[in-house]
Amino acid sequence: QVQLVESGGGSVQAGGSLRLSCAASGYTYSTNYMGWFRQAPGKEREGVASIRTGGGMLYADSVKGRFTISQDNAKNTLYLQMNSLKPEDTAMYYCAAGRVFSLAEWAYEYWGQGTQVTVSS
């Protein structure tokens, strides 16, 4: 059974940084795609970043240049380094695993429970 467990969320002031982690188990990490999504109160869930093993990342325009997605295959862990955080980055952040290289929600079949990120001005 696939399990994705996020960690690393918290509260930070604008301009600060956080690193999210997602530990994956029961998943063929080396042949699929991983992504980060977020959902703010009252808004739809949106794709933030995606990565494919062997190279290739996708980023939402709103986070380009500030967020970096990476993975450690040996540890089966996905990361999202978030720098220069803004209040509008406040949301629940979710890790996801799928079989299509995309920022679209439909491309992912496994989801974590989420970790909250709150950015104050």
Side-chain angles (χ1 to χ4, degrees), residues 32-35 49-59 68-71 78-79 100-103 108:
N32 292 281
Y33 306 95
M34 303 288 291
S50 178
I51 189 168
R52 61 182 175 188
T53 303
M57 285 84 79
L58 293 173
Y59 293 97
T68 302
I69 189 171
S70 63
Q71 60 187 38
L78 178 73
Y79 301 100
V100 178
F101 190 35
S102 171
L103 290 178
Y108 295 83

Side-chain angles (χ1 to χ4, degrees), residues 6-84:
E6 303 96 335
S7 62
S11 296
V12 65
Q13 289 191 325
S17 298
L18 284 173
R19 188 177 80 156
L20 306 183
S21 300
C22 172
S25 61
Y27 186 69
T28 307
Y29 203 75
S30 62
T31 60
N32 292 281
Y33 306 95
M34 303 288 291
W36 287 98
F37 288 74
R38 67 185 181 187
Q39 187 169 22
K43 294 187 177 181
E44 293 185 353
R45 189 153 55 182
E46 62 173 348
V48 174
S50 178
I51 189 168
R52 61 182 175 188
T53 303
M57 285 84 79
L58 293 173
Y59 293 97
D61 288 343
S62 58
V63 306
K64 280 181 182 176
R66 300 188 298 121
F67 291 10
T68 302
I69 189 171
S70 63
Q71 60 187 38
D72 184 331
N73 289 341
K75 295 181 178 180
N76 279 352
T77 301
L78 178 73
Y79 301 100
L80 184 69
Q81 178 66 44
M82 305 186 295
N83 298 328
S84 302

Side-chain angles (χ1 to χ4, degrees), residues 1-2 4 11 21 55 59 82 86 91 94 96 98 102-103 113 121:
Q1 183 171 349
V2 175
L4 302 173
S11 296
S21 300
Y59 293 97
M82 305 186 295
K86 304 175 181 180
Y94 299 90
S102 171
L103 290 178
Q113 295 299 307
S121 57

